[in-house]
Amino acid sequence: MKRFVNGLALMVAVTCLVWVAVLWRWQSTRRDMSVEDIALYMGLLPVFAIVLILMARWAWRGQVAQRAALAAGAQAHAANTATGDSAAQQPSTSDAAQRHAVHAVWLAAVNCPAGASADELLAAAQANEPRPDLDKDLTDPDGQPLMCARVPDLPTDALAAELAPVIAQVRQRLSAADHASLYDEPDDAVVRALTALQTPLDEARQALQPWSTLFQASDSQAAHELGEVHVLIGLPAAWTPLEQQVTEDWIRLSLTDPERSAVPASRFAWLRHHDGSEALWLQADQLLMQCRREQRRALVLLLGLHSDISEVAVQRLAARQALFQAGANPKGHMPGEAACALLLASADWPGLPPDADDPELAPLAWVHRPALARRDKSVDAGGKVLSTTLSQVIEQAQAASRLPTADIASLVCDGDQHTARSTELFGATLALLPDLDAVDDMRLTATVCAGPGAATPLAVIAAACAHTRALNKPVMALCLGDPFARLALVARPDQPEEDAARAAGATTPAQA
């Protein structure tokens, strides 16, 4: 039907254009028209023009098809050459095996306005409650109450007292570098974000506890064979150096406290990041793949925290013209806050803790490698919203999982319902995941957690891991809260057979 309408529109457009040109020519030359002239110029000439256009289109399509065939042949030849050159390599080290690798997820902890766990976040996203509400303290630049999503009942006063000596030490270090005078005390939003992180941090320490013997030197285990924990911290880029240093120091002290931690301080490696959690996840993936190639035992602990619940943070959003205001900026950012912790294991990490009481203990989920891309323009910019980049990462993530579309049972994403992200999301999912129901099979976390932040992508992935465990089916995690970055990956409840065989082969000798 669409083809017929397009063809009819082309015929009418060409005919009208030819008639206008002919009539203008006759009028300007005062030509005395005959019946033959009318038949020729008003009847046959439009037909000839349409035929000429169609022939040009067919010729152009033929050239495009020919070039595509040549390019495909060149790629196939290159692929065959590469396959022949790498025939002597082991399958576990091939590019294909690495592209389709999975990472075990042992912990997915979340603390956000929708709840203090990934399951509570999923339930809130399904029910669309609690939604952001008018805040009792914060107002917009016009003095009107502001739509916000707070984590309820955060004990910020207790943490502020705990932070005091950490702030003093950081300020002393910055003073030595002549930087401390540039910054005041940490903003209230920083204290709120750290307070929200306390619960996920406690869960991370508990998740590390069963593995304590893997971090202790013994007569039968050399130092280089000990396990290690890489801690990757995602922070808002807008935080000052004082706030970033205080956050990192407090996390370090919390995780290495000998009275609470099962891991010696020497077995931790630290990395701070403030370029968005999408890039943080990509960095974790690259680190785990490096451990896979080097056959190293390692855990990767990802921490993300964020809060916009303070006057300073609101003013910062308003200065960027990114703050939600019902009248002035209805597609803006609603202030929110969240904290997350995810614990991932390298491929050579044991399948069970050495002294596990439960033989059926298993990871929460397995995640395939991510697909990450950037839009050519901000999704918040004016004009038509395209789903091209989002569609690309969905296709790449599905290709990495080697699962058919019908096997993807649900979608968890940080999409919302008041910005162009909703248009972008449904444009991509309708084309690539048509079996998913927009109501029953999609969980939009931003509808209950407000605007995006440094912890948002980790919260989406944590929720997807919890969802795949509950459904016992693969779930896609999709991150599109950032104006430019787009990330997709597939979480699954079971380990692929080839990875399970590899893990069994690598674990059995070590256990023996």
Side-chain angles (χ1 to χ4, degrees), residues 428-445:
T429 53
L430 284 175
L432 300 176
L433 300 171
D435 296 332
L436 296 185
D437 185 89
V439 176
D440 296 332
D441 301 327
M442 295 189 187
R443 302 291 184 267
L444 307 185
T445 63

Side-chain angles (χ1 to χ4, degrees), residues 4 23 50 60 69 80-82 105 109 114 157 179 184 190 211 220-221 240-241 249 252 255 304 369 372 414 438 497:
F4 172 75
L23 291 174
I50 293 172
W60 172 256
N80 292 335
T81 303
V105 181
D157 293 339
H179 292 313
D184 297 326
V190 178
W211 307 100
S220 60
Q221 194 170 25
T240 67
D249 283 13
R252 189 190 301 264
L255 287 177
R369 301 193 64 192
L372 180 64
D414 51 352
E497 294 181 0

Side-chain angles (χ1 to χ4, degrees), residues 32 91 137 263 283 300 420:
D32 186 15
D137 296 325
V263 183
Q283 198 161 13
V300 175

Side-chain angles (χ1 to χ4, degrees), residues 49-74:
I50 293 172
V51 171
L52 183 61
I53 291 174
L54 292 177
M55 292 179 64
R57 286 182 61 188
W58 290 335
W60 172 256
R61 287 180 178 177
Q63 287 293 325
V64 170
Q66 185 178 5
R67 291 180 182 179
L70 291 174

Side-chain angles (χ1 to χ4, degrees), residues 51 62 130 230 238 245 297 304 374 389 406 431 439 493:
V51 171
H230 296 263
Q245 287 287 339
R297 287 182 170 183
R374 288 182 64 83
T389 305
V439 176

